[in-house]
Amino acid sequence: MAGGADATLLEVRDLVVEFPTRRGVLRALDGISFSIARGEVLGVVGESGAGKSLTGAAIIGLLEPPGRVVGGEIRLDGQRIDNLPQAAMRKVRGKRIGAIFQDPLTTLNPLLSIGRQLVETIRTHLPLSESEARERAISWLEEVGIPAARQRIDAYPHEFSGGMRQRVVIALALCAEPEMVVADEPTTALDVSIQAQIIALMKRLAAEHGTAVMLVTHDMGVIAETCDRVAVMYAGRIAEIGPVREVVKHPSHPYTSGLMASIPALDRKVARLAQIEGAMPRLTTIPRGCAFNPRCPKAMDVCRQEKPGLRPAGATMAACHLYEVENV
Amino acid sequence: MIAQLVSRLLQAIPVLLVVGFLSFAIFTYVGDPVSIMLGQNATPAMRIAMRHALGLDQPFLVQYWHFMVRAVHFNFGLSYRLALPVSQLILERLPATTELVMTSAVLALLVGLPLGVYTGIRPNGFVSRTIMAGSLLGVSLPTFLLGILLILFFSVLLGWLPSFGRGHVVNFTHWSTGFLTLSGLKSLILPSITLGLFQMTLIMRLVRTEMLEVLRSDYIKFARARGLGPRAIYFGHALRNTLVPVITIVGLQIGGLIGFSIVTETVFQWPGMGLLLVQSIQNADIPVMSAYLMLIAVVFVVINLVVDILYYVVDPRLRVKR
């Protein structure tokens, strides 16, 4: 770890994101709190619709309207960034927090050469001349493993394969040396054989440049391999957060336990994978109390009444009444 | 690139042959040129001699061949109405129409494109809504009515601008231009607005729709996530991606403007090709009509070629390497 795990870089506290709709306000994120230290890799897992990507979008200030932050705060290096004006937020995006998106086939502008897009991004954030920026672009392309970068810098996105394009996207996200990167499912759209390469590349670059990473994914394998800590999200809340090893080996929240049991392992033989009964509720029908209570094998009366807060549970933090009871 | 252009040009040949056939067919079979030229009192012997002189007694395909050969040499015979070479008539009228069409097209682009971008960026603003409501008028108001209204206000009531004609023109060897005199420029204002308003609103609405679409795309989101400024995002990234459909439509519209500026030219008595065509139709002046048909076909072929070249310029994905 380059930065030392003690210095907090990003702090999210009680973040609430809502979508006003014709049928009332949908609360998509309901009081999310976590922090990321300098150089730390935090994984965020959860089912589709749990709010993983939304959390990332809120951090870089790019929630799709009509979604909006209605509560809580986001601090980068102690400074609030959730209420910055547009122009000030632009100086944060790209320069201090980079972003990597899911599908490299659609995230690059098809009509501009990759060199143009890199130079433009570098010159937006750094006081460099056109030719200096171009040299820097070439060295970034080399760094992310584009062969013959100097010859290929003027090529257009369609002349690269999906994996190569994601490397270009990573170069674009990192070229202004941000302190942190939000990577939203960076390998989901790629071939399985390419996924490991891209993850290894991101891991190496983050370590070399001391960049903190918030890695949003639903692939527990990627999390286990890459992250220092992991946050498990369920229905707009964090169910459990803690060191990867602990969350994987000794999950505290019943949802996390179910999630871990549903991952196939090569070293043990199982007739049938475990599954969690039911499905995650829609935002319109989130039950009272703990959102997981209808599916929870250990649900108690209190679970149907009160939302649990994050509490220490073993080596992790879990939002579950089981631990509240134990710890009182 | 060059190979593709050549193949495009080769594809144009059948098009021109078919249009030539149609021109030839109306030239030959609509009305009888012999009785038109000789009048009612000609003897049968005179008719036969005339038929022979005009080559009308030759087989069909031979006549078609001769027609096309003459057309390639820009020789379309004599106008029945004015007894002047058709090519000369068209050349005289060409500058007036070209200047009118180019002015309206430039006007439509210069106004339509920025308005489209603006209304695309702020689809829900008050100004955008006002512009969009106004544009409905531009799309739905018939050209002749708009022209007459403009004449009523600016020529009759206010007396600011001339209501007809080109004003003073400056003549060069083959070209007469109204761009160089004040009265020429003043005369150009009302007709070009009349002709261009529809195109302008069309371009604006098209650009707006495309902008709305493009601004939702992932690469715009990614450009925002990289902290690029609004100008780079809207003009550098978004507008460029809207251009392919816009080029297509503008190309077709310019072809349409040249071919069918008939109404505007009639309303403003603009001495262009549209007015010539109307007068020729009224007098069954077949040679002018068939020559006009050929000319418009050539114009469309040329415009399509230019549009194709612009596609290559705008979109690198179409620059296929061979």
Side-chain angles (χ1 to χ4, degrees):
Chain A
M1 220 46 20
D6 51 308
T8 300
L9 174 66
L10 182 90
E11 181 155 28
V12 176
R13 197 182 299 149
D14 296 326
L15 181 68
V16 179
V17 168
E18 288 182 346
F19 283 81
T21 66
R22 238 172 286 170
R23 288 188 209 139
V25 175
L26 294 182
R27 183 163 282 207
L29 291 184
D30 187 10
I32 300 274
S33 298
F34 65 92
S35 64
I36 300 180
R38 289 184 185 281
E40 185 185 35
V41 181
L42 174 76
V44 179
V45 279
E47 296 168 50
S48 306
K52 317 181 292 281
S53 300
L54 216 52
T55 309
I59 290 171
I60 56 175
L62 287 179
L63 283 173
E64 301 263 343
R68 57 179 192 212
V69 175
V70 294
E73 54 183 45
I74 302 169
R75 286 176 185 272
L76 181 67
D77 224 359
Q79 182 208 359
R80 272 190 80 164
I81 57 168
D82 55 298
N83 55 1
L84 284 180
Q86 278 296 318
M89 194 58 203
R90 276 204 299 279
K91 295 203 172 70
V92 173
R93 285 199 289 263
K95 176 81 182 98
R96 303 193 64 194
I97 306 180
I100 299 168
F101 290 148
Q102 188 179 118
D103 187 353
L105 300 186
T106 56
T107 40
L108 295 170
N109 190 327
L111 304 188
L112 300 175
S113 71
I114 58 165
R116 185 74 246 136
Q117 299 186 47
L118 273 162
V119 167
E120 174 186 51
T121 311
I122 291 169
R123 292 198 68 192
T124 302
H125 297 298
L126 304 171
L128 295 179
S129 72
E130 183 78 19
S131 58
E132 287 167 337
R134 193 176 157 89
E135 281 308 309
R136 206 184 163 95
I138 292 170
S139 69
W140 266 107
L141 288 177
E142 280 164 357
E143 195 159 356
V144 297
I146 304 282
R150 192 168 291 277
Q151 285 80 54
R152 303 213 70 191
I153 184 165
D154 292 316
Y156 290 90
H158 71 275
E159 299 171 73
F160 293 88
S161 68
M164 285 293 149
R165 282 192 226 186
Q166 195 64 312
R167 287 170 192 267
V168 174
V169 169
I170 291 172
L172 276 163
L174 295 178
C175 65
E177 302 264 356
E179 294 139 81
M180 179 186 157
V181 171
V182 176
D184 189 354
E185 312 226 13
T187 57
T188 309
L190 299 175
D191 271 6
V192 181
S193 54
I194 310 289
Q195 287 182 0
Q197 293 176 15
I198 295 295
I199 288 294
L201 173 71
M202 281 179 52
K203 203 174 161 180
R204 174 171 68 77
L205 290 175
E208 281 174 14
H209 295 265
T211 316
V213 180
M214 179 178 147
L215 178 62
V216 173
T217 177
H218 51 244
D219 187 339
M220 275 310 295
V222 168
I223 297 270
E225 210 175 291
T226 321
C227 301
D228 302 311
R229 287 194 305 140
V230 60
V232 180
M233 290 189 68
Y234 186 81
R237 290 172 68 86
I238 291 181
E240 182 163 1
I241 182 167
V244 170
R245 209 183 157 69
E246 296 300 322
V247 173
V248 173
K249 297 279 182 205
H250 312 290
S252 301
H253 198 286
Y255 176 63
T256 321
S257 309
L259 207 59
M260 296 307 150
S262 67
I263 299 168
L266 292 174
D267 55 352
R268 52 195 157 98
K269 246 190 168 160
V270 262
R272 200 182 163 89
L273 283 174
Q275 65 176 50
I276 308 173
E277 287 299 323
M280 195 174 70
R282 289 161 167 268
L283 291 178
T284 44
T285 57
I286 289 182
R288 222 171 111 94
C290 174
F292 188 59
N293 82 63
R295 303 170 72 190
C296 183
K298 297 179 181 172
M300 305 172 287
D301 284 342
V302 63
C303 301
R304 295 179 192 95
Q305 303 299 325
E306 284 173 37
K307 282 183 197 170
L310 273 176
R311 303 264 159 171
T316 68
M317 304 269 281
C320 181
H321 288 298
L322 282 175
Y323 302 95
E324 232 160 305
V325 175
E326 274 173 20
N327 288 327
V328 164
Chain B
M1 170 85 194
I2 288 173
Q4 302 216 347
L5 280 185
V6 171
S7 90
R8 290 283 175 179
L9 275 176
L10 289 178
Q11 285 169 22
I13 291 175
V15 174
L16 290 178
L17 281 178
V18 169
V19 175
F21 182 79
L22 287 175
S23 297
F24 168 69
I26 61 166
F27 184 74
T28 313
Y29 294 108
V30 177
D32 180 2
V34 175
S35 47
I36 292 171
M37 291 172 94
L38 290 179
Q40 298 294 322
N41 303 324
T43 62
M46 283 168 75
R47 284 172 183 277
I48 289 167
M50 190 70 182
R51 291 193 84 82
H52 185 70
L54 290 173
L56 295 178
D57 53 350
Q58 285 173 338
F60 178 81
L61 281 176
V62 176
Q63 287 191 48
Y64 177 47
W65 169 251
H66 285 306
F67 176 84
M68 286 308 283
V69 169
R70 286 199 302 272
V72 169
H73 291 99
F74 208 62
N75 175 2
F76 294 95
L78 292 178
S79 157
Y80 296 161
R81 182 169 64 98
L82 299 167
L84 287 169
V86 172
S87 50
Q88 184 195 331
L89 282 174
I90 286 184
L91 276 181
E92 276 173 7
R93 303 299 189 101
L94 194 64
T97 296
T98 310
E99 287 188 354
L100 175 62
V101 166
M102 287 306 144
T103 310
S104 355
V106 168
L107 195 74
L109 273 176
L110 284 186
V111 182
L113 215 59
L115 283 186
V117 172
Y118 179 84
T119 51
I121 293 172
R122 296 182 209 289
N124 297 318
F126 175 73
V127 179
S128 295
R129 285 173 189 276
T130 313
I131 293 172
M132 286 307 289
S135 78
L136 275 180
L137 210 63
V139 173
S140 54
L141 205 61
T143 314
F144 70 90
L145 186 62
L146 177 68
I148 288 169
L149 287 177
L150 286 177
I151 290 175
L152 179 65
F153 278 108
F154 292 100
S155 306
V156 179
L157 294 179
L158 295 171
W160 290 351
L161 296 167
S163 63
F164 69 92
R166 288 183 80 190
H168 292 294
V169 294
V170 178
N171 282 303
F172 297 99
T173 39
H174 283 297
W175 197 268
S176 63
T177 178
F179 285 145
L180 297 177
T181 64
L182 187 64
S183 80
L185 287 174
K186 277 169 98 177
S187 307
L188 202 54
I189 296 175
L190 293 185
S192 55
I193 290 176
T194 307
L195 189 59
L197 187 74
F198 177 79
Q199 323 298 329
M200 188 199 93
T201 45
L202 192 76
I203 290 171
M204 182 195 115
R205 296 180 79 94
L206 184 71
V207 170
R208 172 180 179 273
T209 314
E210 292 292 325
M211 280 294 279
L212 286 174
E213 188 71 35
V214 168
L215 286 176
R216 274 199 295 270
S217 67
D218 282 353
Y219 52 83
I220 294 297
K221 205 172 146 201
F222 189 49
R224 288 206 167 104
R226 284 183 279 144
L228 301 186
R231 188 184 298 171
I233 287 174
Y234 294 137
F235 293 95
H237 286 259
L239 182 60
R240 198 180 281 251
N241 274 283
T242 68
L243 285 184
V244 164
V246 172
I247 289 169
T248 312
I249 297 296
V250 171
L252 287 175
Q253 290 297 322
I254 289 181
L257 284 179
I258 295 177
F260 311 108
S261 59
I262 298 169
V263 175
T264 307
E265 293 193 0
T266 310
V267 170
F268 288 94
Q269 287 298 298
W270 189 262
M273 296 191 300
L275 194 58
L276 175 70
L277 180 67
V278 171
Q279 289 162 351
S280 304
I281 291 172
Q282 283 165 352
N283 294 290
D285 197 346
I286 308 287
V288 176
M289 285 158 65
S290 67
Y292 194 81
L293 197 60
M294 290 291 286
L295 185 73
I296 296 307
V298 172
V299 165
F300 269 97
V301 165
V302 170
I303 284 174
N304 273 329
L305 198 67
V306 173
V307 165
D308 279 339
I309 294 172
L310 286 177
Y311 284 168
Y312 292 112
V313 175
V314 168
D315 195 337
R317 286 168 295 186
L318 298 173
R319 293 173 213 152
V320 185
K321 286 195 179 123
R322 294 203 173 152

